[in-house]
mmCIF file of all heavy atoms in Angstrom:
data_model
loop_
_atom_site.group_PDB
_atom_site.id
_atom_site.type_symbol
_atom_site.label_atom_id
_atom_site.label_comp_id
_atom_site.label_asym_id
_atom_site.label_seq_id
_atom_site.Cartn_x
_atom_site.Cartn_y
_atom_site.Cartn_z
ATOM 1 N N ASP A 15 -4.784 -43.021 8.598
ATOM 2 C CA ASP A 15 -5.483 -41.969 7.870
ATOM 3 C C ASP A 15 -4.794 -40.618 8.096
ATOM 4 O O ASP A 15 -4.600 -39.833 7.164
ATOM 5 C CB ASP A 15 -6.948 -41.915 8.313
ATOM 6 C CG ASP A 15 -7.768 -40.954 7.483
ATOM 7 O OD1 ASP A 15 -7.629 -40.976 6.234
ATOM 8 O OD2 ASP A 15 -8.534 -40.158 8.075
ATOM 9 N N VAL A 16 -4.409 -40.338 9.326
ATOM 10 C CA VAL A 16 -3.713 -39.093 9.646
ATOM 11 C C VAL A 16 -2.374 -39.043 8.923
ATOM 12 O O VAL A 16 -1.980 -38.007 8.386
ATOM 13 C CB VAL A 16 -3.542 -38.945 11.175
ATOM 14 C CG1 VAL A 16 -2.599 -37.817 11.521
ATOM 15 C CG2 VAL A 16 -4.895 -38.721 11.835
ATOM 16 N N GLN A 17 -1.668 -40.170 8.871
ATOM 17 C CA GLN A 17 -0.390 -40.221 8.167
ATOM 18 C C GLN A 17 -0.567 -39.922 6.683
ATOM 19 O O GLN A 17 0.228 -39.196 6.089
ATOM 20 C CB GLN A 17 0.278 -41.584 8.348
ATOM 21 C CG GLN A 17 0.899 -41.788 9.708
ATOM 22 C CD GLN A 17 1.507 -43.173 9.867
ATOM 23 O OE1 GLN A 17 1.127 -44.111 9.171
ATOM 24 N NE2 GLN A 17 2.452 -43.287 10.795
ATOM 25 N N ARG A 18 -1.610 -40.467 6.070
ATOM 26 C CA ARG A 18 -1.870 -40.212 4.654
ATOM 27 C C ARG A 18 -2.163 -38.728 4.416
ATOM 28 O O ARG A 18 -1.672 -38.128 3.460
ATOM 29 C CB ARG A 18 -3.050 -41.061 4.168
ATOM 30 C CG ARG A 18 -2.631 -42.440 3.695
ATOM 31 C CD ARG A 18 -3.787 -43.191 3.024
ATOM 32 N NE ARG A 18 -4.124 -44.286 3.933
ATOM 33 C CZ ARG A 18 -5.298 -44.471 4.531
ATOM 34 N NH1 ARG A 18 -6.305 -43.679 4.272
ATOM 35 N NH2 ARG A 18 -5.492 -45.479 5.347
ATOM 36 N N LYS A 19 -2.953 -38.158 5.316
ATOM 37 C CA LYS A 19 -3.280 -36.741 5.179
ATOM 38 C C LYS A 19 -2.041 -35.868 5.342
ATOM 39 O O LYS A 19 -1.847 -34.902 4.605
ATOM 40 C CB LYS A 19 -4.341 -36.334 6.191
ATOM 41 C CG LYS A 19 -5.719 -36.883 5.868
ATOM 42 C CD LYS A 19 -6.739 -36.459 6.904
ATOM 43 C CE LYS A 19 -8.126 -37.027 6.581
ATOM 44 N NZ LYS A 19 -9.114 -36.656 7.605
ATOM 45 N N LEU A 20 -1.190 -36.213 6.300
ATOM 46 C CA LEU A 20 0.049 -35.469 6.491
ATOM 47 C C LEU A 20 0.964 -35.572 5.275
ATOM 48 O O LEU A 20 1.614 -34.599 4.890
ATOM 49 C CB LEU A 20 0.779 -35.944 7.747
ATOM 50 C CG LEU A 20 0.183 -35.497 9.079
ATOM 51 C CD1 LEU A 20 0.906 -36.172 10.233
ATOM 52 C CD2 LEU A 20 0.260 -33.997 9.218
ATOM 53 N N LEU A 21 1.023 -36.747 4.688
ATOM 54 C CA LEU A 21 1.841 -36.932 3.491
ATOM 55 C C LEU A 21 1.303 -36.078 2.345
ATOM 56 O O LEU A 21 2.070 -35.445 1.615
ATOM 57 C CB LEU A 21 1.872 -38.411 3.098
ATOM 58 C CG LEU A 21 2.725 -38.766 1.890
ATOM 59 C CD1 LEU A 21 4.186 -38.447 2.179
ATOM 60 C CD2 LEU A 21 2.563 -40.222 1.536
ATOM 61 N N ALA A 22 -0.022 -36.036 2.193
ATOM 62 C CA ALA A 22 -0.629 -35.209 1.143
ATOM 63 C C ALA A 22 -0.322 -33.731 1.383
ATOM 64 O O ALA A 22 0.018 -32.990 0.450
ATOM 65 C CB ALA A 22 -2.135 -35.444 1.093
ATOM 66 N N ILE A 23 -0.426 -33.298 2.625
ATOM 67 C CA ILE A 23 -0.129 -31.904 2.956
ATOM 68 C C ILE A 23 1.334 -31.597 2.681
ATOM 69 O O ILE A 23 1.674 -30.538 2.148
ATOM 70 C CB ILE A 23 -0.494 -31.614 4.433
ATOM 71 C CG1 ILE A 23 -2.008 -31.634 4.612
ATOM 72 C CG2 ILE A 23 0.069 -30.272 4.885
ATOM 73 C CD1 ILE A 23 -2.463 -31.574 6.053
ATOM 74 N N SER A 24 2.206 -32.516 3.021
ATOM 75 C CA SER A 24 3.640 -32.328 2.797
ATOM 76 C C SER A 24 3.951 -32.172 1.313
ATOM 77 O O SER A 24 4.721 -31.296 0.919
ATOM 78 C CB SER A 24 4.413 -33.507 3.387
ATOM 79 O OG SER A 24 5.757 -33.416 3.072
ATOM 80 N N THR A 25 3.355 -32.999 0.482
ATOM 81 C CA THR A 25 3.612 -32.881 -0.956
ATOM 82 C C THR A 25 3.049 -31.572 -1.511
ATOM 83 O O THR A 25 3.658 -30.946 -2.368
ATOM 84 C CB THR A 25 3.009 -34.077 -1.725
ATOM 85 O OG1 THR A 25 1.619 -34.189 -1.412
ATOM 86 C CG2 THR A 25 3.722 -35.369 -1.374
ATOM 87 N N LYS A 26 1.885 -31.149 -1.016
ATOM 88 C CA LYS A 26 1.318 -29.870 -1.457
ATOM 89 C C LYS A 26 2.224 -28.714 -1.060
ATOM 90 O O LYS A 26 2.452 -27.783 -1.837
ATOM 91 C CB LYS A 26 -0.078 -29.660 -0.876
ATOM 92 C CG LYS A 26 -1.137 -30.529 -1.517
ATOM 93 C CD LYS A 26 -2.482 -30.280 -0.909
ATOM 94 C CE LYS A 26 -3.537 -31.201 -1.515
ATOM 95 N NZ LYS A 26 -4.866 -31.003 -0.910
ATOM 96 N N LEU A 27 2.759 -28.757 0.161
ATOM 97 C CA LEU A 27 3.668 -27.706 0.604
ATOM 98 C C LEU A 27 4.934 -27.672 -0.240
ATOM 99 O O LEU A 27 5.444 -26.604 -0.563
ATOM 100 C CB LEU A 27 4.028 -27.897 2.079
ATOM 101 C CG LEU A 27 2.973 -27.461 3.095
ATOM 102 C CD1 LEU A 27 3.402 -27.833 4.501
ATOM 103 C CD2 LEU A 27 2.743 -25.970 3.010
ATOM 104 N N SER A 28 5.431 -28.832 -0.599
ATOM 105 C CA SER A 28 6.624 -28.882 -1.444
ATOM 106 C C SER A 28 6.353 -28.252 -2.801
ATOM 107 O O SER A 28 7.178 -27.484 -3.317
ATOM 108 C CB SER A 28 7.088 -30.323 -1.625
ATOM 109 O OG SER A 28 7.469 -30.877 -0.394
ATOM 110 N N SER A 29 5.210 -28.575 -3.378
ATOM 111 C CA SER A 29 4.891 -27.992 -4.686
ATOM 112 C C SER A 29 4.678 -26.487 -4.577
ATOM 113 O O SER A 29 5.080 -25.726 -5.462
ATOM 114 C CB SER A 29 3.662 -28.663 -5.295
ATOM 115 O OG SER A 29 2.495 -28.354 -4.560
ATOM 116 N N LEU A 30 4.080 -26.028 -3.480
ATOM 117 C CA LEU A 30 3.908 -24.589 -3.277
ATOM 118 C C LEU A 30 5.253 -23.895 -3.123
ATOM 119 O O LEU A 30 5.457 -22.799 -3.654
ATOM 120 C CB LEU A 30 3.040 -24.318 -2.050
ATOM 121 C CG LEU A 30 1.543 -24.529 -2.218
ATOM 122 C CD1 LEU A 30 0.830 -24.365 -0.874
ATOM 123 C CD2 LEU A 30 0.967 -23.565 -3.228
ATOM 124 N N ALA A 31 6.171 -24.527 -2.408
ATOM 125 C CA ALA A 31 7.506 -23.945 -2.249
ATOM 126 C C ALA A 31 8.203 -23.830 -3.600
ATOM 127 O O ALA A 31 8.860 -22.824 -3.883
ATOM 128 C CB ALA A 31 8.330 -24.786 -1.283
ATOM 129 N N ASP A 32 8.054 -24.842 -4.436
ATOM 130 C CA ASP A 32 8.639 -24.793 -5.779
ATOM 131 C C ASP A 32 8.032 -23.651 -6.595
ATOM 132 O O ASP A 32 8.743 -22.936 -7.316
ATOM 133 C CB ASP A 32 8.436 -26.123 -6.509
ATOM 134 C CG ASP A 32 9.242 -27.256 -5.884
ATOM 135 O OD1 ASP A 32 10.222 -26.957 -5.165
ATOM 136 O OD2 ASP A 32 8.888 -28.425 -6.116
ATOM 137 N N GLN A 33 6.724 -23.482 -6.486
ATOM 138 C CA GLN A 33 6.061 -22.401 -7.219
ATOM 139 C C GLN A 33 6.543 -21.032 -6.739
ATOM 140 O O GLN A 33 6.759 -20.121 -7.542
ATOM 141 C CB GLN A 33 4.545 -22.499 -7.056
ATOM 142 C CG GLN A 33 3.931 -23.665 -7.801
ATOM 143 C CD GLN A 33 2.436 -23.793 -7.539
ATOM 144 O OE1 GLN A 33 1.872 -23.057 -6.739
ATOM 145 N NE2 GLN A 33 1.792 -24.736 -8.216
ATOM 146 N N VAL A 34 6.718 -20.888 -5.435
ATOM 147 C CA VAL A 34 7.205 -19.623 -4.881
ATOM 148 C C VAL A 34 8.607 -19.337 -5.396
ATOM 149 O O VAL A 34 8.937 -18.204 -5.761
ATOM 150 C CB VAL A 34 7.166 -19.650 -3.335
ATOM 151 C CG1 VAL A 34 7.929 -18.487 -2.743
ATOM 152 C CG2 VAL A 34 5.727 -19.639 -2.851
ATOM 153 N N GLU A 35 9.465 -20.342 -5.440
ATOM 154 C CA GLU A 35 10.820 -20.157 -5.951
ATOM 155 C C GLU A 35 10.801 -19.714 -7.408
ATOM 156 O O GLU A 35 11.565 -18.833 -7.815
ATOM 157 C CB GLU A 35 11.630 -21.438 -5.797
ATOM 158 C CG GLU A 35 12.039 -21.726 -4.366
ATOM 159 C CD GLU A 35 12.822 -23.008 -4.224
ATOM 160 O OE1 GLU A 35 13.339 -23.529 -5.238
ATOM 161 O OE2 GLU A 35 12.918 -23.498 -3.091
#
Side-chain angles (χ1 to χ4, degrees):
D15 187 45
V16 169
Q17 285 178 337
R18 273 188 249 119
K19 288 180 181 178
L20 286 173
L21 182 63
I23 290 171
S24 174
T25 55
K26 287 180 182 178
L27 282 174
S28 297
S29 68
L30 283 174
D32 292 340
Q33 289 176 356
V34 168
E35 287 179 17

